[in-house]
Amino acid sequence: MVEATLVLRPRLGLDQVLQERVKDGPLQPRIPRQEIGQLRGASPQAIAAARSWLQGVGAAEVTCDSSARMLTISAPLSVLASAFKTTVKLAGPAGDHRRTLATPMTIPHELSAHVVAVLGIETGPFVPPRLRRFPLPDPTLPLEVAAPLSFEPPEVAALYQYPAADTSAGTCIGLLELGGGYRQADLDSYFQGLGIAPPTVVSVAVAGGSNQPTGSVDGPDGEVSLDIQVAGSIAPMARLAAYFAPNTDQGFLAAVQAAVHDRTNAPGVLSISWGGPEANWPSATINAFEHAFQDASLIGMTVCVAAGDNGSSDGLADGLAHVDYPAASPYVLACGGTRLQGLSGRITSEVVWNDQPQDGATGGGVSAVFALPPWQSSAGVPASVNPGHFRGRGVPDVAGDADPETGYRVLVDSQPAVFGGTSAVAPLWAALLAICNGAVGTDVGYLNPLLYQQLAPAGVTREVAQGDNGAYSAGPGWNACAGWGSPIGSRLLASLRARAGG
C-alpha cells in the first residue's frame, strides 16, 4: 500500500489574486494568512472530481487539505502505477522498498484539469542538504585553534553590521528540515558557551516526519543543528519553528505548505537549506512547489533558499551549467556563498567561495526553466552559457559566508564541528530579516522586486566582485556567483524602515 498526494490547482491564479484582492502595503502587497486558503485553495469542483476518480480506480482518501491543495490517497502500488501509466522500480536493501519511476507518469484525462502533480509514489532521499563540513586537522583542539579562520555565528553577523538582535522579539523564523534532528542538551550547551539564552525552538511534525536525531554529525543532524544555531544565535529573541518532514517530494512540499498555513507560529521568514539540480526536478513537481511559493509571497513571508554547493555544474557531469531548485524559483531569495575573512570587527576580504574540486563552490547561474523576471531585467543577468543561451532567471540574489574553512562553529550530537555551504547562508539571511521584521513592525515579505528595484541600488549589500563558480565570474553589481553580494544589515534595516514610513 502506498500513500500518494494529488496536488490540486489553485482556485485563483496569482494574477487574479493580485488584481482583485491584494492591497498595497507599506512594503509589499499581501493578504492575511487566514485568507490564503479561501483564495488559493482547491475548488470544490476539483475535490469532487478527484474523489469521483478515486472511487473509479479503487483508491481510498486519507486526508484532504483544501487550503494547501493536497489530497492524500492510499492504494496498492500496482493500482497507482496502472492509473498513472508508469512503471515503478523497487530498490534499496531488503525491506526498504525505495521506489523510483522507470517511466514518466501521465495524469488521467479526468484529472488533467484539476491536478498539477502526483507526489509520493517515488521515495527518498529526494534532495540533499547544502552544507559542507570543514575537516579538522586535529579534532582534539578547540575549534578556534583547529579552525582558526572559522567564526561563531554572531561574529559573522557583526562583520555584516547586523542591527541589534533584540528587535527579533515577537518574530518567528521557520526552518525546513528533511530528516535528522536536534537534542535540547546540545542547544543548551551551545548557547551557554556563547553566553546567549537558548531560543524557543518548536518542532512541527509534518507528513510523518519528526525531530529524530540520527547520531551522525555528517548526516541531516548537521543541517538541523546548523540552521538552529545560526538563526538562533543571531536572532535569539525570535521563535524558531522547525518543520520536520520526510525527504521525499511529497514531504518537502507538505513542509513548505505547513509553514505557509501555520497560523500558530506564523513564521515571517522561512529558511530552506535543501535542494537539487533544477534539471532533475520534473516540471509537474516544480509547478506544485511554485504555487506554494506564490502563496508565501502573497502572505508576506520571505523564503530564503540555499543556492547550492557544487559550483556552476550543480554537481551534474553533463558538461552543462545548472542552477539549484528551489533556489531558482522567482518567488524565493536565493542565497549564494562567499569566503569571508575579518579582523577586529571589520571585513578584510570577501570573494566568491570556490574550493573545487575538494570542498565545493557556490551555486549560481541562469535558470533553464524560469524566464527572466521583470524585476531582474535591469540587473545585467547574462544569457546562459549553455547552447541556446536562454535568458532566464539569474541565481543567486544575495550571498554570505559559506566557505567551510571560514565556516560556522556548531555543536552536533555532542560533537564540536565547523560547517559551511550555502546551507548556512539561508538561516544567516533569515535571521537578519527576522530582526528587520521586528524593527519595522511588519514582515518585509516577498523581497525580490524591492531588492532589485530599490534596496540594492540604495547600497544595502556589499559587492562581491572577485572570483568565479566555474562557468560564471563575479563582477561589479549583480553577478551569477554572489548576486548583489553580502548584507550590510544596518543599511538594509534603515532602507526598509524608510519605505515602511518608520
Side-chain angles (χ1 to χ4, degrees):
M1 296 296 292
V2 171
E3 286 193 3
T5 297
L6 305 183
V7 184
L8 305 175
R9 295 187 186 280
R11 185 180 314 197
L12 293 178
L14 179 65
D15 290 341
Q16 289 175 286
V17 176
L18 289 173
Q19 292 171 7
E20 298 176 12
R21 296 295 299 273
V22 175
K23 305 300 181 185
D24 287 335
L27 288 168
Q28 291 292 323
R30 65 195 61 200
I31 61 175
R33 203 181 216 105
Q34 60 268 26
E35 293 183 18
I36 191 67
Q38 300 168 17
L39 297 174
R40 294 266 293 169
S43 69
Q45 294 82 1
I47 295 173
R51 285 172 170 163
S52 176
W53 176 83
L54 290 181
Q55 294 177 354
V57 299
E61 178 179 332
V62 179
T63 61
C64 180
D65 186 339
S66 60
S67 294
R69 303 179 296 275
M70 301 177 74
L71 179 65
T72 301
I73 64 175
S74 176
L77 178 59
S78 58
V79 169
L80 294 178
S82 175
F84 296 110
K85 297 180 173 59
T86 187
T87 303
V88 181
K89 294 192 299 182
L90 298 179
D96 190 347
H97 300 307
R98 294 180 184 174
R99 304 185 298 271
T100 60
L101 298 185
T103 56
M105 285 189 292
T106 299
I107 295 177
H109 175 72
E110 309 94 287
L111 296 179
S112 59
H114 306 290
V115 173
V116 175
V118 181
L119 308 181
I121 295 181
E122 288 190 288
T123 56
F126 180 55
V127 290
R130 293 317 197 180
L131 82 167
R132 297 291 177 110
R133 187 181 181 188
F134 178 67
L136 300 175
D138 187 348
T140 65
L141 295 174
L143 290 183
E144 59 269 24
V145 177
L149 298 181
S150 65
F151 298 98
E152 306 287 6
E155 294 177 323
V156 177
L159 289 173
Y160 287 144
Q161 301 176 40
Y162 275 30
D166 57 1
T167 65
S168 63
T171 66
C172 179
I173 301 172
L175 305 171
L176 190 146
E177 308 297 351
L178 301 178
Y182 66 91
R183 293 180 172 88
Q184 188 60 46
D186 284 342
L187 299 187
D188 293 342
S189 176
Y190 180 78
F191 286 97
Q192 182 180 7
L194 293 178
I196 299 173
T200 299
V201 183
V202 179
S203 297
V204 182
V206 180
S210 63
N211 175 26
Q212 292 186 326
T214 65
S216 172
V217 176
D218 293 311
D221 290 359
E223 182 58 58
V224 176
S225 298
L226 179 69
D227 289 345
I228 292 174
Q229 291 167 24
V230 169
S233 63
I234 295 175
M237 304 293 286
R239 180 185 185 91
L240 305 183
Y243 299 87
F244 287 96
N247 193 348
T248 63
D249 53 2
Q250 184 184 35
F252 196 163
L253 180 62
V256 174
Q257 289 285 34
V260 169
H261 294 278
D262 186 349
R263 299 187 202 176
T264 301
N265 297 297
V269 57
L270 176 65
S271 177
I272 300 176
S273 294
W274 308 71
E278 178 187 68
N280 288 351
W281 285 68
S283 58
T285 306
I286 286 181
N287 287 339
F289 274 75
E290 284 305 286
H291 290 157
F293 291 135
Q294 289 172 3
D295 290 349
S297 75
L298 287 169
I299 65 171
M301 184 170 74
T302 316
V303 182
C304 302
V305 181
D309 297 345
N310 293 295
S312 59
S313 72
D314 209 22
L316 298 184
D318 58 4
L320 300 175
H322 298 277
V323 294
D324 218 54
Y325 187 85
S329 168
Y331 298 97
V332 310
L333 187 73
C335 301
T338 68
R339 176 183 173 85
L340 176 72
Q341 292 180 276
L343 183 66
S344 300
R346 293 184 176 274
I347 294 174
T348 58
S349 172
E350 189 167 25
V351 299
V352 173
W353 167 44
N354 189 343
D355 288 332
Q356 295 187 102
Q358 290 83 10
D359 296 318
T362 182
V366 178
S367 171
V369 173
F370 300 100
L372 188 72
W375 40 262
Q376 228 177 16
S377 61
S378 300
V381 178
S384 170
V385 298
N386 293 335
H389 306 296
F390 181 65
R391 302 198 68 86
R393 148 88 157 125
V395 177
D397 301 303
V398 292
D401 182 34
D403 190 321
E405 188 176 12
T406 65
Y408 303 75
R409 301 170 201 156
V410 296
L411 186 65
V412 187
D413 296 323
S414 302
Q415 297 183 49
V418 175
F419 279 107
T422 54
S423 272
V425 188
L428 177 77
W429 269 89
L432 172 58
L433 293 172
I435 293 170
C436 291
N437 287 348
V440 173
T442 184
D443 294 339
V444 300
Y446 176 41
L447 202 62
N448 294 22
L450 194 64
L451 173 70
Y452 280 81
Q453 296 167 6
Q454 299 182 40
L455 298 177
V460 304
T461 53
R462 185 178 187 275
E463 185 177 86
V464 178
Q466 295 183 340
D468 66 78
N469 67 353
Y472 296 94
S473 297
W478 183 93
N479 61 71
C481 301
W484 288 110
S486 56
I488 304 176
S490 58
R491 291 188 186 177
L492 176 62
L493 175 56
S495 292
L496 290 170
R497 271 180 165 158
R499 281 157 182 78

